[in-house]
Amino acid sequence: MIVTQSRGVGGEASLLGATPPPRADAALRWSRFVPATAAEGPGLRAAVWVQGCAVRCPGCFNPQMWAARGAHLDDPADLASRWIADARAAGAEGVTLLGGEPFDQAAALALVAEAFQEAGLGVMAFSGYTLDRLQVWAEERADIARLLAATDLLCDGPYLADLPDMRRPWIGSRNQSIRALTPRHAAEVDRIAHEGGRDALEVRISADGVVAVNGWATDAALADLLDDLGVRADRAASITKGTPR
C-alpha cells in the first residue's frame, strides 16, 4: 500500500539492485546505532546502520558498510528491546533503518521494525532495491514481506551518481522515491512532493575525539566543517552526495 509518494524519475536502465536480496542469518549484523538524530528522516528519530550490502552503488556514502565483516552480531529481539528504551529516553518518534542494505537482512530487521511499531514508534527504511522489485520478491519471500509491512516510510532505489537530487531531503539521486506506506508520515511526503526540502548534517565528537558524521553536505562544506577535527570514524576514502542507503 502506498498512501502518498514523491516518485523518482529516470534510471530505468540501471541493473543495480536487480538481483533478489540474499537470505541472511537470524542474527543481525549492524555497525552503529544512535538513539536520536534529526538528519535521517522526519523529526527526531533513532537510527540503525546495518552492515552488509549486495547492491553496492558506485559513489555510495558508506562503502565501508558493503562487506559483512566488522559487524556487531546480535539477537534482533534483544537489540530491539534495548534500542526502543534508548529511543524513548531520547524523545525519538521512531527509528530509521539504513546502512548497508536493510533488505539484505529482512528477517532480522522485520523483528526490530515490528517491535518499534508495537511500541507506538514509527519505522523508516532506506533501500537500494526499488519498491516494485521488493513487492515482487515479497510474494515468495516472507522476510521481505514482513519488513515491508512493518515500514511506514520507504526511500527506495539505487543511488545513481549521474542523477543527483538537490531538491528533496534524505535521498541522493532523482531516480529514488520517497513513499509513505502508512498514513504516519503521509503529510510530510506530500509536502516534499510539492515543495521539496532540505538535507541536514550532524557531526558528533565523542569524549575520546572520534568524529562521526551522518546526514549529508557537499564535499566542500563537509571538508570545511571537519577541518582539524580529526579522521571520521568510518575513515571513508571520499565523501559525495550519495546515500548509505
Side-chain angles (χ1 to χ4, degrees), residues 48-172:
V48 179
W49 285 262
V50 297
Q51 186 74 34
C53 178
V55 182
R56 303 192 172 192
C57 306
C60 171
F61 194 73
N62 279 342
Q64 75 282 355
M65 292 184 185
W66 287 357
R69 65 180 181 274
H72 304 289
L73 194 62
D74 293 289
D75 177 77
D78 292 342
L79 288 172
S81 178
R82 189 171 81 224
W83 288 342
I84 288 169
D86 289 346
R88 279 178 163 165
E93 180 278 336
V95 66
T96 297
L97 310 175
L98 30 71
E101 171 54 54
F103 281 86
D104 284 358
Q105 300 187 70
L109 279 182
L111 291 173
V112 173
E114 288 166 353
F116 268 84
Q117 285 192 333
E118 288 168 6
L121 301 173
V123 176
M124 178 180 183
F126 286 87
S127 180
Y129 303 106
T130 63
L131 177 60
D132 290 346
R133 285 173 173 157
L134 289 171
Q135 289 173 325
V136 169
W137 297 329
E139 294 176 5
E140 297 182 356
R141 291 276 300 272
D143 55 339
I144 295 174
R146 282 182 65 188
L147 183 52
L148 278 176
T151 299
D152 298 294
L153 180 60
L154 178 69
C155 293
D156 66 293
Y159 168 63
L160 301 179
D162 60 340
L163 295 175
D165 193 318
M166 301 297 179
R167 180 177 178 271
R168 298 175 296 169
W170 313 326
I171 48 88

Side-chain angles (χ1 to χ4, degrees), residues 168-191:
R168 298 175 296 169
W170 313 326
I171 48 88
S173 54
R174 295 193 300 275
N175 62 293
Q176 296 174 315
S177 297
I178 303 173
R179 312 185 199 250
L181 304 185
T182 73
R184 190 176 189 106
H185 296 296
E188 178 69 5
V189 174
D190 192 55
R191 186 192 64 76

